[in-house]
Amino acid sequence: MSGVRPFSVRYRADEFADATSAELDVLVIGGGATGVGVALDAASRGLRVALVEQGDLASGTSSKSSKLIHGGLRYLENYELGLVHESVVERQLLQELAPHLVRPMEFVYPLFPDTARLRLVGLGMTTYDVLAGFRNVRRHQRVSAEEAVRRAPALEHSGLLRAFVYGDCATDDARLVLAVAQAARRFGALVLTYVEATRLVFTAEGRVCGAEVRDRLAGDQHELRARYVVNATGVWVDRLMRQEEPDRPVSVQPSKGVHLVVPAERLPLGNSSILLPSRQGDGRSMFAIPWGRQSILGTTDTVYDGPLDDVPVTAEDVEYILGAANGIFRADLDVDEVVGAWAGNRPLLRRTDRPAAAPSDMSRRHTLLEGSAGLLTITGGKLTTYRRMAKDVVDRIVARDRRRAACRTDEIALGGTRAYDDAVADAVTAAHAVGLDEETAELAVRQHGDSAAAVLALTTQPGLEVRLSPAAAHLAADVVHAARHEGAATLDDVLSRRTRLALRAKDAAMPTAPLAARLLAAELGRDDAWAREQVTSYAETVRRERGVLGLTHPPATSGSGPA
């Protein structure tokens, strides 16, 4: 393969030429966390790899998580000690490999007079600490109700008895996926977004040997040949498996998880997340998570049998989450105060022993399946353990090839090679030099890691120092960088996943959409008509996704964005 090009749509034709020039070792279908993890693992072991994703990176489940890299304290309720241990091992590794993206966070577990099995909670906390061992973020401690309120002011009127405090980690899920994809590209993997695998290709002997794909941006068809094809499409895995084996039983039960975003001043959490025990009689627990100027509430965990490509946030979902939050915080949160929402499907493994099992009772473990024609399918699991899932896939491939190529992904940095505090200190100095504040500098580090200085340097160009929205300190420079180095192909890519303004801003950043679209068009060699089409398309996405919140009419899109 040729040298590493900038991750930009401008080089798309060259990427396709590389992918079709000769047989690949591995073709990965699916650009979520697991798919990019497989691409990095395989490429770093010397295999020739291409990845195709029908949308943007992480545009499915991987950008719709609770934004946590966590050990899985709740899994102890189902006695999944092995899964908890695996999760805390991966959590520690990701803290080391991506310190800007995976950051320690304090969690508060409040106890109430009606908390079920009150005395067992402390035992569970101790078990959690033991399983984490030296990899622990921090050991748990018991605190008074007053101390819990000091740490998380939203608990003031909750009536808690006392609380436990423990440690886990927060992340930006979409940017973590992007960081893994960028690492894979540095090892020579080709990463092609907006490329749909329409049909598996088989040899004369009936073995899977590639896929026909359609470039959704250009409309072209291509055939990619590979010795191994990996199905890492999450809740969509059954579609490909049934091309291989039409009568195969369904393997995945989608479980819908919905999150809401509210202003931080309406749900003040300080620097602490809260694990909310169920108080609605259904056994579900939820998180309240600080997110800059906003707070996240979620998640639901319900069986989903609707269209996989368009998962709605329903009025019932919103009512359930707000009801659960108000039941704890006595905050009288109303749907009108919700500034953003998202819904995604977890690919849970169907239980053959208990077909009617509730999603909360289904394991978050993963499994590797090999079909009769050789298709390798990896499914189940969770964001925290994506690297282990990828390792299992590539271990199988190298064992078949009888290669001596050990996994290296436990030592490959993911875009952040410096201690977080040191990186922020240097970014603050750089930001002050160009007239920007500390909030902007810290967000640049959280977004870009080692590339933060390069993004801040762009602001010396006229107009790129403009802040895109009052909801977060993202700059016009972020749009340019996303186009040049982060594979952004659409306005939605920029506003929904490179930044998260689509979720953080009440107006979904619609006032800045024309400006962002023009900047993106200029970088990608598109014209003004394309930019206008992008704004229209993004506005329609906002209307569709936010209709249940009453935000069916985004602000007018004719302006130029913030001055």
Side-chain angles (χ1 to χ4, degrees):
M1 294 183 183
S2 60
V4 179
R5 307 177 184 92
F7 190 19
S8 169
V9 173
R10 280 186 173 273
Y11 298 94
R12 193 176 183 83
D14 295 327
E15 301 278 294
F16 269 114
D18 277 353
T20 57
S21 63
E23 184 183 48
L24 300 160
D25 291 318
V26 181
L27 172 62
V28 183
I29 302 174
T34 306
V36 296
V38 172
L40 172 57
D41 196 323
S44 64
R45 298 199 212 190
L47 297 171
R48 188 170 187 272
V49 180
L51 177 147
V52 296
E53 159 58 44
Q54 66 176 350
D56 184 26
L57 291 173
S59 54
T61 305
S62 290
S63 63
K64 299 175 174 65
S65 74
S66 297
K67 315 291 183 260
L68 300 176
I69 296 295
H70 63 105
L73 176 64
R74 293 177 297 172
Y75 306 151
L76 292 177
E77 296 179 5
N78 294 333
Y79 305 104
E80 294 196 84
L81 304 186
L83 180 57
V84 173
H85 182 262
E86 178 180 86
S87 298
V88 297
V89 170
E90 293 304 305
R91 182 184 66 191
Q92 182 206 23
L93 273 175
L94 287 171
Q95 283 182 262
E96 297 170 359
L97 301 176
H100 64 301
L101 287 172
V102 180
R103 302 178 306 281
M105 178 175 281
E106 177 180 276
F107 282 69
V108 175
Y109 189 114
L111 301 177
F112 300 93
D114 60 348
T115 299
R117 296 175 291 180
L118 190 62
R119 295 181 179 178
L120 295 180
V121 177
L123 177 60
M125 290 286 175
T126 299
T127 303
Y128 192 59
D129 285 345
V130 170
L131 290 170
F134 69 88
R135 302 178 183 87
N136 214 351
V137 175
R138 56 165 291 170
R139 293 188 65 83
H140 83 275
Q141 66 181 110
R142 196 169 98 166
V143 300
S144 66
E146 293 76 17
E147 177 62 15
V149 170
R150 187 188 70 78
R151 293 168 183 263
L155 288 169
E156 182 177 6
H157 303 295
S158 65
L160 77 165
L161 289 173
R162 56 185 180 273
F164 286 102
V165 176
Y166 69 100
D168 247 322
C169 289
T171 193
D172 183 323
D173 47 12
R175 293 204 66 90
L176 179 60
V177 171
L178 173 63
V180 178
Q182 289 173 317
R185 294 184 74 259
R186 289 195 293 272
F187 282 94
L190 300 167
V191 177
L192 294 161
T193 59
Y194 292 95
V195 176
E196 180 183 5
T198 56
R199 187 178 70 86
L200 294 176
V201 176
F202 298 85
T203 66
E205 295 74 29
R207 301 290 293 174
V208 173
C209 64
E212 289 185 0
V213 302
R214 180 174 67 90
D215 181 351
R216 297 179 61 197
L217 299 183
D220 300 334
Q221 298 282 341
H222 302 270
E223 183 172 287
L224 304 181
R225 292 275 178 163
R227 295 188 303 113
Y228 297 98
V229 178
V230 177
N231 178 12
T233 55
V235 291
W236 293 269
V237 292
D238 286 303
R239 292 181 182 177
L240 283 179
M241 287 196 289
R242 284 188 162 176
Q243 286 191 34
E244 181 187 39
E245 301 173 9
D247 298 326
R248 182 183 182 92
V250 173
S251 300
V252 167
Q253 171 58 66
S255 168
K256 187 169 82 166
V258 176
H259 295 79
L260 305 181
V261 182
V262 298
E265 61 267 22
R266 288 291 288 121
L267 196 67
L269 299 172
N271 294 317
S272 299
S273 288
I274 304 175
L275 176 55
L276 303 173
S278 170
R279 301 188 75 184
Q280 302 202 148
D282 56 10
R284 298 183 202 163
S285 55
M286 293 200 318
F287 287 110
I289 304 166
W291 200 35
R293 300 183 183 186
Q294 298 79 31
S295 298
I296 298 171
L297 284 168
T299 176
T300 60
D301 195 5
T302 55
V303 170
Y304 180 77
D305 293 315
L308 295 178
D309 297 325
D310 190 12
V311 186
V313 177
T314 67
E316 291 76 16
D317 295 326
V318 175
E319 181 181 359
Y320 175 87
I321 293 175
L322 292 180
N326 286 330
I328 296 285
F329 299 116
R330 312 298 179 190
D332 295 325
L333 291 168
D334 185 88
V335 65
D336 291 337
E337 297 174 287
V338 176
V339 300
W342 65 87
N345 275 323
R346 307 172 190 88
L348 302 184
L349 302 174
R350 286 186 181 268
R351 292 187 58 166
T352 56
D353 60 329
R354 291 176 58 193
S360 57
D361 292 331
M362 294 182 182
S363 175
R364 268 54 175 175
R365 289 189 175 277
H366 65 272
T367 190
L368 175 59
L369 306 170
E370 184 166 0
S372 58
L375 178 68
L376 291 171
T377 295
I378 181 73
T379 192
K382 61 194 188 103
L383 179 66
T384 303
T385 57
Y386 83 87
R387 193 198 67 87
R388 284 293 296 270
M389 296 169 70
K391 179 179 181 297
D392 286 353
V393 175
V394 185
D395 281 349
R396 175 76 60 89
I397 290 171
V398 298
R400 290 286 169 81
D401 280 359
R402 298 181 180 177
R403 291 175 180 245
R404 293 185 177 179
C407 178
R408 301 173 53 196
T409 55
D410 59 351
E411 61 186 27
I412 297 172
L414 301 175
T417 58
R418 305 179 59 210
Y420 177 73
D421 289 343
D422 293 342
V424 169
D426 286 349
V428 167
T429 300
H432 286 167
V434 292
L436 299 173
D437 60 17
E438 293 182 7
E439 181 187 18
T440 302
E442 183 169 5
L443 183 59
V445 173
R446 290 191 176 194
Q447 292 275 113
H448 304 290
D450 291 345
S451 298
V455 176
L456 293 173
L458 287 173
T459 63
T460 59
Q461 300 177 31
L464 296 190
E465 80 288 356
V466 170
R467 184 173 288 195
L468 295 174
S469 168
H474 295 293
L475 305 172
D478 286 301
V479 181
V480 172
H481 185 78
R484 292 179 183 177
H485 300 289
E486 296 179 344
T490 72
L491 180 61
D492 186 47
D493 296 349
V494 172
L495 296 180
S496 293
R497 287 169 294 279
R498 302 305 182 272
T499 69
R500 311 312 292 270
L501 288 174
L503 304 174
R504 288 182 178 272
K506 180 79 170 179
D507 56 21
M510 280 302 306
T512 200
L515 169 64
R518 287 199 301 274
L519 290 170
L520 188 63
E523 290 300 321
L524 301 184
R526 308 288 192 174
D527 58 18
D528 289 343
W530 182 88
R532 290 192 294 271
E533 289 171 0
Q534 286 295 302
V535 174
T536 300
S537 176
Y538 178 68
E540 180 56 36
T541 297
V542 171
R543 289 189 182 95
R544 185 177 67 253
E545 293 182 350
R546 290 178 161 224
V548 70
L549 302 179
L551 302 176
T552 54
H553 300 290
T557 61
S558 58
S560 61

